[in-house]
Amino acid sequence: MRIGELGRAAGVDGETIRYYEKAGLLPPPARALNGYRAYGAAHLERLAFIRHCRALDVPLAEIRRLLDFVDRPDADCGDINRLIEAQLARVRARLKSMRALEKQLAALRSRCEAGHVAAECGILHELVAAAHGEACACHASAPDSAAGGREAKRR
Amino acid sequence: MRIGELGRAAGVDGETIRYYEKAGLLPPPARALNGYRAYGAAHLERLAFIRHCRALDVPLAEIRRLLDFVDRPDADCGDINRLIEAQLARVRARLKSMRALEKQLAALRSRCEAGHVAAECGILHELVAAAHGEACACHASAPDSAAGGREAKRR
DNA sequence: GAAAACCCTGTAGCCGCTCCAGGGTCAAGC
DNA sequence: GCTTGACCCTGGAGCGGCTACAGGGTTTTC
């Protein structure tokens, strides 16, 4: 099948499929005489796997590692446990900071009644005051803000 | 004060401060004779405000709008309510999908006992099966994946 | 035989930074 | 006077995970 068909079957945009190919997640398919990519059932399966992992918010680099296990079924899979564990830890950390965030925002929301002018806006006042560190719970537990990644690469 | 001092005072990297200036969030400061940026107390206050909003995960574009209100204290602040409301809605949507995600991952984690080989790995099997759509709760409520932004701009 | 739908490659854009190259400046210590 | 190190400058590239577009070619449908 061609890229559009594959995309519809897996619920993925064609450009994204080409991106996965470039990123080394999908093997380059055969080409028809006109140069069009020609996919088979195996590609659909692999693509569905990738999408499912992405739905679990697993980064592409880890999906690549998972696919390695799929490709080498006799490898030891102890790492898979660790990988899932790490992903779970990431998600839980993010959840925790987001719950704190929600509280902050919910508290803010009720501080401004309609019809005001910015100078008297409770929300704005609260934000400015909080920025000074008064009564501010969220500086302590800020959201992870990109959370690591990328140490010691390049060059 | 110079950029390093400001950065230390606000807990922000100097490069980030220059980035905020380029992005139009911090007004360009005066310059010393040697070309060094020279900041005053107002800059520190504004920077602290920005960081506080970022801690609330408010996107820079919205912080820019909030700063407009700070700068024009006589403007109507009805929009601020809507802005906070929108941010809260974003956070809650993301929370919801992340809770589903956590469940999925936690369920996965117990599927593989150590010492296995990839071909028999419960996690891998589960992922592959789920990708086929069998017993998969997470396709229905996938994480927001970049969540919008960017419609109808450029050109 | 023209229009619409599809495909190709390659490149640039989004966010919010972070890092680097390749310079200049300035204070302290020898 | 000279080195060392800390700081500062500009401009540009990089991250992840796509998405969009320019500028072409092909295939299908009317």
Side-chain angles (χ1 to χ4, degrees):
Chain A
M1 67 192 129
R2 305 197 303 198
I3 199 169
E5 204 180 337
L6 176 64
R8 274 186 300 276
V12 185
D13 191 79
E15 308 239 34
T16 303
I17 296 174
R18 283 193 280 262
Y19 172 76
Y20 286 159
E21 183 181 329
K22 233 189 311 183
L25 290 163
L26 269 182
R31 297 290 183 132
L33 293 177
N34 54 15
Y36 288 12
R37 289 171 177 81
Y39 294 100
H43 282 100
L44 175 53
E45 180 150 1
R46 201 174 176 94
L47 183 54
F49 180 89
I50 295 170
R51 290 312 287 182
H52 182 73
C53 292
R54 287 297 301 136
L56 292 175
D57 225 11
V58 177
L60 294 188
E62 306 224 329
I63 297 177
R64 212 170 290 134
R65 290 177 52 205
L66 286 172
L67 286 170
D68 275 354
F69 285 109
V70 173
D71 293 338
R72 296 180 295 109
D74 49 347
D76 183 277
C77 71
D79 283 347
I80 296 186
N81 260 333
R82 279 187 283 283
L83 196 153
I84 295 292
E85 198 76 59
Q87 177 63 16
L88 187 56
R90 262 200 303 278
V91 166
R92 285 192 170 149
R94 181 94 179 122
L95 259 177
K96 192 177 157 194
S97 76
M98 291 202 56
R99 275 194 272 260
L101 213 168
E102 189 206 357
K103 260 203 204 107
Q104 280 281 319
L105 285 171
L108 261 187
R109 188 187 38 170
S110 50
R111 303 305 249 99
C112 178
E113 293 94 46
H116 272 337
V117 130
E120 305 152 13
C121 174
I123 291 180
L124 225 40
H125 277 182
E126 187 89 359
L127 282 173
V128 170
H132 284 281
E134 305 154 21
C136 173
C138 51
H139 276 347
S141 66
D144 55 14
S145 63
R150 125 81 81 90
E151 60 278 25
K153 279 188 188 172
R154 279 197 304 159
R155 218 163 311 255
Chain B
M1 66 193 132
R2 305 195 302 196
I3 200 170
E5 204 180 337
L6 175 65
R8 275 185 299 276
V12 185
D13 192 80
E15 308 240 34
T16 303
I17 296 174
R18 283 194 278 260
Y19 171 77
Y20 286 159
E21 182 181 330
K22 233 187 309 183
L25 290 163
L26 270 182
R31 297 289 182 134
L33 293 178
N34 54 14
Y36 288 11
R37 288 173 178 80
Y39 293 101
H43 283 99
L44 175 54
E45 180 149 2
R46 200 172 177 95
L47 183 53
F49 180 89
I50 295 171
R51 290 312 287 182
H52 182 74
C53 291
R54 286 298 300 138
L56 292 176
D57 226 11
V58 177
L60 294 188
E62 306 223 327
I63 297 177
R64 210 170 291 133
R65 291 177 51 205
L66 285 172
L67 286 168
D68 275 354
F69 285 109
V70 174
D71 293 339
R72 295 180 294 110
D74 49 346
D76 182 277
C77 71
D79 283 346
I80 295 186
N81 260 333
R82 278 188 284 282
L83 196 153
I84 294 293
E85 198 76 58
Q87 176 64 16
L88 188 56
R90 261 200 305 277
V91 166
R92 286 190 169 151
R94 180 98 179 118
L95 259 176
K96 192 178 158 195
S97 76
M98 291 203 55
R99 275 193 275 260
L101 213 168
E102 189 205 357
K103 260 202 204 107
Q104 280 281 318
L105 286 171
L108 261 187
R109 187 186 40 170
S110 50
R111 303 306 249 97
C112 178
E113 292 96 46
H116 272 338
V117 129
E120 305 152 13
C121 174
I123 292 180
L124 225 40
H125 278 180
E126 186 89 359
L127 282 173
V128 170
H132 283 283
E134 306 155 21
C136 174
C138 51
H139 276 347
S141 65
D144 56 15
S145 65
R150 128 74 84 87
E151 61 279 24
K153 279 189 185 172
R154 279 197 305 160
R155 221 166 309 256

